[in-house]
Amino acid sequence: MNLNYEALRAVMIEFQEAPLNPDVHNVVQSTINKYGFATDDILYAVKQAIDEGLLSGHTQQTVAKWPVMFVSDITPDGHKFLDSIIPETAWNKVKSELITNGIPMTIPTITRTIAKLFLDK
C-alpha cells in the first residue's frame, strides 16, 4: 500500500490535539471527518507513524483487515516533524524541496528535509 503523506500530516496534527493515551479510533474518525481521507489511508498513516517512531505505540495483528493500534503519545521526533509541517507554507516548502531535488517522499527524507530547512539554522 502507498503511504499518503497528506494523510500522515493530517493524522499527526489530530494526534497533537488529542490527550495522552488517546482513543485511536476517535482520532482516526476525527481525521477522516475533518480532512476527508479514506479510512485505509488514515489507518496506514497511523501504522507507519508508529513504525517510524513519530508516535509512541504499537500494533497487534489480528485476523481482521487492520491490526489493533495503541498510541500513548507523540514522540520527540514526532513533535519536531509536526512543528515544521503544521503551517501549510512550511509543508509546501518541504514538498517542493523534495520534488526540486528529485528526492522520493518518505518519512526519513521528509524528516531530513525539515532538519535542513528549519532546524539546522
Side-chain angles (χ1 to χ4, degrees):
M1 178 169 191
N2 289 326
L3 177 57
N4 180 329
Y5 290 95
E6 297 293 338
L8 173 66
R9 176 179 179 262
V11 82
M12 288 297 294
I13 290 169
E14 289 299 302
F15 271 108
Q16 182 169 325
E17 296 173 6
L20 285 174
N21 300 305
D23 181 323
V24 174
H25 174 76
N26 288 343
V27 174
V28 166
Q29 196 59 51
S30 173
T31 308
I32 291 166
N33 293 342
K34 190 182 283 185
Y35 297 92
F37 291 106
T39 302
D40 285 354
D41 285 340
I42 297 300
L43 289 171
Y44 193 65
V46 173
K47 181 187 178 310
Q48 291 302 307
I50 293 169
D51 291 349
E52 288 292 329
L54 300 176
L55 295 173
S56 178
H58 66 279
T59 59
Q60 288 182 328
Q61 193 59 47
T62 66
V63 293
K65 180 179 177 184
W66 284 101
V68 176
M69 293 179 256
F70 300 93
V71 172
S72 59
D73 198 7
I74 299 171
T75 66
D77 285 341
H79 279 291
K80 289 177 198 170
F81 180 86
L82 269 168
D83 290 345
S84 297
I85 64 162
I86 286 177
E88 194 72 33
T89 55
W91 177 234
N92 289 335
K93 188 173 182 178
V94 169
K95 292 188 299 184
S96 177
E97 180 77 10
L98 292 170
I99 291 166
T100 299
N101 292 300
I103 300 169
M105 189 175 285
T106 65
I107 293 173
T109 62
I110 292 170
T111 303
R112 282 193 300 274
T113 302
I114 289 168
K116 176 184 166 190
L117 293 175
F118 306 111
L119 304 178
D120 288 344
K121 296 182 179 188

